[in-house]
Amino acid sequence: MSWYKKPQEKAPWLVFTDFSFGMLTMVLLAFIALWGLKEEFKEEYIKKNDAFTRKEQEYQKLKKAKSEADRKIKNYQKMIGAELKSQVEEGLIAITDAGIDIQESLLFPSTSASITQSGQGVLKYVAKALQAASESDSTFMVMVCGFTDDQPIDSETYSNWELSSERATNVVKSLVEKGFQPERIFASGFGEFQPK
């Protein structure tokens, strides 16, 4: 018989319990952290989704407005084209997606902003056609664009830009004199920067 007593070892289940408790605590802390992140991401997702929905609604409004504007333009083209049918057939005027295109040589002598007699005659028909189109829509506006070529002009009076602006202004004045409303028309000169 031995008087030697073995030291008592800790029971293995106590070690397991300490380890399990530690792991459980870590899992719970991780779960809480993930739950907090989930809520944060959820709020961020909702904000972004709301912003996307607003942008989509704005896009749909703009798309609808563009479609409506395109429809109006097509109607104006038909209406104005019908009013100016004989001038179009004679080749004096072209109805394009950009509007009414009148031959420059018909309207103005070279390097001049004075409208010719034949140009005044054509503008009489244009004013009538524009007036008819404007009566159906209170938002109807006309921009008269003046152009030149991109070659420097030999003139003490004008640069190409000034010439194009004065040509556009003179066409506006002529259309107003022939009955088109002055509050619905304006002039713009493009000079050599968008040459014809």
Side-chain angles (χ1 to χ4, degrees):
M1 224 170 123
S2 154
W3 294 98
Y4 174 74
K5 247 182 166 181
K6 265 181 159 178
Q8 210 171 19
E9 293 180 14
K10 280 188 175 183
W13 63 272
L14 283 177
V15 172
F16 180 73
T17 303
D18 289 345
F19 179 74
S20 298
F21 183 73
M23 288 301 290
L24 179 62
T25 302
M26 285 177 53
V27 167
L28 282 174
L29 288 174
F31 179 75
I32 291 168
L34 286 173
W35 184 264
L37 285 173
K38 176 188 167 210
E39 290 302 312
E40 187 179 319
F41 284 128
K42 184 178 176 182
E43 285 178 28
E44 189 66 27
Y45 171 78
I46 289 170
K47 284 180 189 173
K48 286 186 177 180
N49 191 42
D50 289 347
F52 175 78
T53 302
R54 280 192 303 277
K55 293 280 186 200
E56 179 65 23
Q57 288 169 343
E58 289 171 18
Y59 170 75
Q60 291 302 329
K61 280 183 189 176
L62 289 173
K63 190 175 171 184
K64 185 177 178 182
K66 183 187 180 312
S67 177
E68 179 63 19
D70 289 344
R71 186 189 62 73
K72 278 184 173 184
I73 289 169
K74 291 291 180 200
N75 286 342
Y76 293 147
Q77 287 172 329
K78 280 183 191 175
M79 192 181 309
I80 291 169
E83 288 283 331
L84 298 172
K85 185 177 179 183
S86 63
Q87 289 76 26
V88 170
E89 288 172 353
E90 289 177 44
L92 304 174
I93 294 175
I95 307 296
T96 67
D97 287 341
I100 302 170
D101 196 5
I102 304 172
Q103 291 178 8
E104 176 190 340
S105 60
L106 176 69
L107 287 175
F108 306 104
S110 182
T111 69
S112 172
S114 298
I115 301 172
T116 64
Q117 279 301 108
S118 56
Q120 290 288 0
V122 169
L123 289 176
K124 179 177 71 170
Y125 295 108
V126 172
K128 183 180 172 196
L130 293 175
Q131 185 62 38
S134 72
E135 289 172 359
S136 65
D137 184 357
S138 63
T139 63
F140 186 86
M141 290 290 294
V142 174
M143 178 172 78
V144 176
C145 301
F147 297 93
T148 64
D149 57 26
D150 57 358
Q151 302 304 309
I153 59 175
D154 185 23
S155 170
E156 303 259 331
T157 313
Y158 298 113
S159 69
N160 276 329
W161 208 346
E162 292 164 327
L163 177 59
S164 68
S165 297
E166 189 162 339
R167 284 178 170 180
T169 301
N170 287 345
V171 169
V172 166
K173 288 176 181 176
S174 178
L175 292 171
V176 169
E177 287 168 5
K178 291 169 180 36
F180 192 71
Q181 305 102 310
E183 66 276 6
R184 291 186 175 211
I185 192 167
F186 62 100
S188 182
F190 290 93
E192 67 270 28
F193 304 105
Q194 291 189 34
K196 285 283 186 178

